[in-house]
Amino acid sequence: MSTHKLGFLLVLITAGLFSPLLAADFIWDDQILVLENLWTHDASNLPRFFTSTLWTSTPIADTTSPYYRPMMLLELLVDRQLFGFSTLAHHAHSLAWHIGCCLLVWKLICSLGGQGFAAISGAAVFALHPFQTEVV
């Protein structure tokens, strides 16, 4: 199978298996991190993302939290600015990022000498591993 077809197959399988997410609501910590976030409504808060922990931007502001996630807050800002609180758009955007990362992992494996089935298998493990459900 050609390289392009393998890449397309990876995208197709990943998108297909994660597609039920597109019909999902916000769940678990999304209520606080997405819907009640105190900073993602205004881009002027961007510098705060890099000097505070993840939960500081929420109503439960636990300043002892070790979760430093400035890029996650940036993503939440972008999503909120572009899509408001549309669950479909938030989830589709997250899935697009995940698929992009899967393709980069595949290209990395190829650049390290992996070929054909071996490279696509390694990327598929990354793409479809159960640990990825929280990420996507």
Side-chain angles (χ1 to χ4, degrees), residues 52-76:
S52 304
T53 64
L54 176 66
W55 294 102
T56 305
S57 66
T58 71
I60 63 168
D62 177 3
T63 56
T64 61
S65 169
Y67 294 111
Y68 177 69
R69 303 284 189 274
M71 299 309 287
M72 180 179 173
L73 286 171
L74 178 60
E75 177 66 14
L76 292 174

Side-chain angles (χ1 to χ4, degrees), residues 37-56:
N37 196 296
L38 304 172
W39 296 351
T40 57
H41 68 284
D42 186 352
S44 68
N45 290 318
L46 183 64
R48 299 169 96 179
F49 297 175
F50 296 91
T51 60
S52 304
T53 64
L54 176 66
W55 294 102
T56 305

Side-chain angles (χ1 to χ4, degrees), residues 3-134:
T3 302
H4 288 76
K5 287 181 182 177
L6 286 173
F8 181 73
L9 184 62
L10 177 65
V11 168
L12 192 64
I13 290 171
T14 304
L17 289 176
F18 281 106
S19 65
L21 139 82
L22 300 176
D25 287 328
F26 291 125
I27 58 170
W28 299 321
D29 57 4
D30 295 339
Q31 177 69 35
I32 294 170
L33 288 171
V34 177
L35 301 176
E36 298 175 21
N37 196 296
L38 304 172
W39 296 351
T40 57
H41 68 284
D42 186 352
S44 68
N45 290 318
L46 183 64
R48 299 169 96 179
F49 297 175
F50 296 91
T51 60
S52 304
T53 64
L54 176 66
W55 294 102
T56 305
S57 66
T58 71
I60 63 168
D62 177 3
T63 56
T64 61
S65 169
Y67 294 111
Y68 177 69
R69 303 284 189 274
M71 299 309 287
M72 180 179 173
L73 286 171
L74 178 60
E75 177 66 14
L76 292 174
L77 170 76
V78 169
D79 282 353
R80 188 165 174 180
Q81 297 302 307
L82 292 176
F83 313 123
F85 295 120
S86 166
T87 55
L88 172 64
H90 277 255
H91 293 316
H93 196 214
S94 178
L95 181 56
W97 276 112
H98 180 61
I99 289 171
C101 289
C102 295
L103 289 170
L104 288 173
V105 166
W106 174 52
K107 289 293 188 181
L108 175 65
I109 294 169
C110 287
S111 74
L112 295 173
Q115 298 298 315
F117 185 75
I120 206 69
S121 296
V125 168
F126 173 83
L128 307 174
H129 196 281
F131 283 133
Q132 300 297 13
T133 57
E134 175 67 17

